[in-house]
């Protein structure tokens, strides 16, 4: 499993538009083969910071998402208007929170 997480920063003046756009993308993304979770949460509206959290079954699923037409269109719409620090992590020992 892959975990993709980090922050995206949007000008607060564009925040409502960005949230509407990312919600639309999320509806499609959550139905993609290999998507386990796809979420964005408003962390600090004053500065326009959102927390991003995604889980993917494997790299092939994540790559298909990144190359999908709606994802490419989303990135192109927001290119130059957002900045982010998003990282990808491999998770090979998944277990419940209370499990050792």
């Amino acid at each position: 499993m892959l975990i993709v997480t980090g922050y995206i920063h949007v000008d607060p003046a564009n925040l409502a538009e960005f949230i509407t756009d990312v919600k639309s993308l999320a509806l499609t993304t959550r139905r993609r083969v290999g998507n386990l979770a796809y979420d964005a949460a408003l962390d600090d509206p004053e500065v326009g910071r959102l927390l991003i959290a995604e889980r993917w079954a494997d790299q092939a699923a994540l790559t298909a998402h990144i190359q999908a037409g709606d994802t490419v269109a989303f990135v192109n719409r927001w290119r130059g208007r957002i900045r982010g620090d998003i990282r990808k992590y491999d998770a090979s020992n998944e277990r419940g929170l209370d499990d050792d």
Side-chain angles (χ1 to χ4, degrees):
M1 175 176 56
L2 298 176
I3 297 170
V4 176
T5 189
Y7 291 99
I8 289 180
H9 301 268
V10 181
D11 185 314
N14 297 323
L15 195 53
E17 179 187 0
F18 182 82
I19 290 172
T20 297
D21 213 11
V22 80
K23 281 183 180 181
S24 177
L25 179 64
L27 291 174
T28 303
T29 300
R30 290 179 183 135
R31 292 191 296 264
R32 291 200 168 114
V33 173
N35 177 258
L36 306 173
Y38 189 86
D39 299 289
L42 184 56
D43 182 57
D44 187 342
E46 301 271 327
V47 298
R49 185 175 61 211
L50 294 96
L51 174 64
I52 304 301
E54 306 174 24
R55 291 187 302 136
W56 295 91
D58 53 32
Q59 184 61 52
L62 177 57
T63 298
H65 163 65
I66 291 169
Q67 294 175 350
D70 58 343
T71 304
V72 171
F74 175 86
V75 170
N76 287 337
R77 267 192 309 279
W78 288 97
R79 186 178 314 277
R81 298 194 295 158
I82 62 173
R83 63 183 170 80
D85 182 19
I86 308 290
R87 303 294 174 152
K88 174 177 65 174
Y89 302 89
D90 296 299
S92 60
N93 190 19
E94 182 181 5
R95 58 196 180 279
L97 187 59
D98 293 333
D99 297 343
D100 289 334

